[in-house]
Amino acid sequence: MASSPKDNLLDYDRAELAAFFAARGEASFRASQLMKWVYGLGVTEFSAMTNLSKSLRAGLAADATISLPEVAADTLSEDGSRKWLFRLADGNCIETVFIPEAERGTLCVSSQVGCMLNCSFCSTASQGFNRNLTTGEIIAQVWMAANLLGQHADASRLVSNVVMMGMGEPLLNYDNVVRAMRIMLDDYGFGLSKRRITLSTAGVIPAIRQLREDCDVSLAVSLHAPDDTLRNELVPLNRKYPIRALLDSCREYVGEGRRRVTFEYVLLAGVNDSDQHARELVKCLQGVPAKVNLIPFNPFPATRYRRSEQTRIDAFFAILNRAGIVTITRRTRGDDIDAAWGQLAGEFQDRTRRSSRTRTTIHVQGHVQ
Ligand code: SAH
């Protein structure tokens, strides 16, 4: 008879691990002991977990696993950003990007293999949607980065920030993403604070409302247009959740406190980058506690869009800035390794084509289909 698959302990948050141990007749503090080994010290061999009894260690080795992906590629950009392609147990690959800065190190984490949203300027869209990542596959990206950067060895906080901004729409994989973020926040997990985790969404309104109740990390919204006609074209999800309602949910999300929502705006030459668009954006964000993140478009093969000229970006920035909106222009980084934000490509197995319009040009590792 085939043995049942082992429990992947990375799939559980602390409460679920406590239940797992309780079911084995063990005290619930075993959960924090195990998490400290795994997330704090980077130890995944049960036999090395010396504060667990020998019989418990043997039992875990028999029934449980700590499943990590393989490193399919590890690329360092000239500017210091590092991109990993991780191969999952089923052969699918996902990307995780680390961006070191003077005061922090930000890890950009994927939530799905592919994406179903079909945003017209995003290279992930051309790959279709394959599947949701499990909790274990999401948290393993943080574990792998910490390990490959040497964080486990010297207990430094190299990964100080996490952005759920890689492949996929995190709010369409809600349960697994929230559970993984709980592990990132847990003192026995990665001990990050809520303001150091940012979830980026194209605007799934009901899930934004739910997130406020469940795990109110920093919120970023991919806006990219100041009016519904243009946004329908760039972010098709807007047809279901239009701008006004989306901004209402953003206002609710931050409430009366001092928090702001970050609005991401990819500047596409001649599409959404005129002075008029900037003025409309100012109007659109009136009354919303907002920061704006202007992102120079990163071209990819077969895209119909171009990056705005720097003078255009500066002019757009100046209009928002004069209107008193806190605005930053994201530097493009990692261009030489194709690791720019939202440019996350992978090789999928069993690719599901969303529509006949879908292009299937994959451009990772020089692999073209
Ligand atoms: N689905 C989520 C998270 C993934 S996309 C969301 O929509 O927010 C995250 C970000 O990637 C987008 O906001 C956008 O800023 C960026 N992005 C996507 N394609 C890009 C491209 N070609 N160039 C620059 N940024 C891009």
Side-chain angles (χ1 to χ4, degrees):
M1 223 172 73
S3 58
S4 57
K6 293 183 175 185
D7 276 301
N8 178 11
L9 299 187
L10 298 184
D11 279 333
Y12 302 141
D13 63 21
R14 183 141 52 101
E16 291 164 337
L17 270 181
F20 168 86
F21 281 111
R24 306 177 69 94
E26 292 283 339
S28 60
F29 67 79
R30 297 288 177 215
S32 33
Q33 286 181 318
L34 181 108
M35 288 179 76
K36 210 166 170 185
W37 282 113
V38 174
Y39 300 111
L41 298 168
V43 171
T44 56
E45 284 293 324
F46 296 120
S47 58
M49 301 181 182
T50 45
N51 55 359
L52 308 183
S53 71
K54 280 219 167 107
S55 63
L56 176 56
R57 282 184 256 164
L60 289 175
D63 311 333
T65 175
I66 288 170
S67 175
L68 296 164
E70 280 170 29
V71 181
D74 181 342
T75 334
L76 190 63
S77 163
E78 274 168 29
D79 64 21
S81 62
R82 191 162 164 188
K83 179 181 81 169
W84 294 286
L85 190 65
F86 293 132
R87 188 176 298 109
L88 307 173
D90 68 354
N92 278 308
C93 285
I94 51 166
E95 295 194 8
T96 308
V97 184
F98 178 68
I99 302 115
E101 287 173 298
E103 303 288 314
R104 60 185 177 187
T106 303
L107 192 70
C108 179
V109 168
S110 294
S111 58
Q112 298 180 315
V113 183
C115 189
M116 30 178 128
L117 294 184
N118 211 13
C119 297
S120 61
F121 57 88
C122 180
S123 68
T124 303
S126 60
Q127 302 165 31
F129 174 71
N130 183 289
R131 67 172 175 85
N132 281 332
L133 295 184
T134 62
T135 301
E137 289 166 340
I138 298 168
I139 202 65
Q141 295 172 66
V142 187
W143 192 98
M144 291 295 287
N147 194 265
L148 293 162
L149 293 167
Q151 173 172 316
H152 285 136
D154 70 0
S156 55
R157 276 281 162 82
L158 290 167
V159 177
S160 64
N161 294 61
V162 169
V163 292
M164 298 301 306
M165 217 179 262
M167 288 171 104
E169 168 50 52
L171 293 185
L172 293 181
N173 183 15
Y174 187 87
D175 291 344
N176 293 345
V177 164
V178 166
R179 198 184 287 106
M181 293 196 304
R182 279 200 194 109
I183 300 169
M184 294 175 205
L185 291 166
D186 196 306
D187 284 343
Y188 293 98
F190 290 103
L192 299 179
S193 70
K194 276 183 187 167
R195 51 184 188 88
R196 289 182 177 274
I197 300 180
T198 301
L199 182 143
S200 177
T201 178
V204 187
I205 295 177
I208 292 175
R209 298 223 163 95
Q210 191 61 43
L211 190 68
R212 184 171 190 244
E213 307 297 317
D214 294 340
C215 191
D216 62 335
V217 294
S218 302
L219 183 68
V221 169
S222 294
L223 194 60
H224 309 314
D227 67 84
D228 283 324
T229 311
L230 182 54
R231 193 163 191 268
N232 285 346
E233 198 186 300
L234 302 178
V235 183
L237 184 70
N238 192 70
R239 293 179 201 139
K240 190 160 183 195
Y241 301 120
I243 294 176
R244 272 292 128 216
L246 175 58
L247 295 180
D248 285 345
S249 74
C250 290
R251 252 191 304 264
E252 260 172 53
Y253 190 86
V254 290
E256 297 298 315
R258 290 165 57 200
R259 298 203 301 169
R260 293 164 197 255
V261 173
T262 301
F263 292 94
E264 297 158 273
Y265 197 104
V266 174
L267 288 162
L268 307 166
V271 175
N272 65 354
D273 67 345
S274 70
D275 286 355
Q276 181 61 22
H277 289 119
R279 286 192 291 267
E280 282 174 33
L281 182 59
V282 169
K283 227 188 268 165
C284 169
L285 292 178
Q286 249 163 28
V288 183
K291 283 187 282 198
V292 172
N293 200 345
L294 296 177
I295 305 163
F297 173 64
N298 261 293
F300 50 92
T303 181
R304 61 181 185 273
Y305 298 113
R306 281 175 305 114
R307 180 183 296 181
S308 307
E309 300 288 340
Q310 192 58 47
T311 50
R312 186 80 311 269
I313 298 176
D314 294 342
F316 199 97
F317 175 91
I319 291 172
L320 299 183
N321 203 35
R322 271 202 302 275
I325 298 180
V326 179
T327 307
I328 60 163
T329 311
R330 194 187 279 164
R331 278 181 302 152
T332 46
R333 302 193 53 162
D335 284 8
D336 56 325
I337 56 166
D338 207 21
W341 304 71
Q343 281 254 9
L344 304 175
E347 294 173 48
F348 302 169
Q349 304 222 321
D350 311 323
R351 186 189 331 278
T352 325
R353 294 228 174 89
R354 202 181 26 255
S355 75
S356 55
R357 283 187 300 134
T358 305
R359 291 278 158 274
T360 54
T361 310
I362 307 295
H363 59 97
V364 94
Q365 312 297 302
H367 170 100
V368 176
Q369 286 188 356

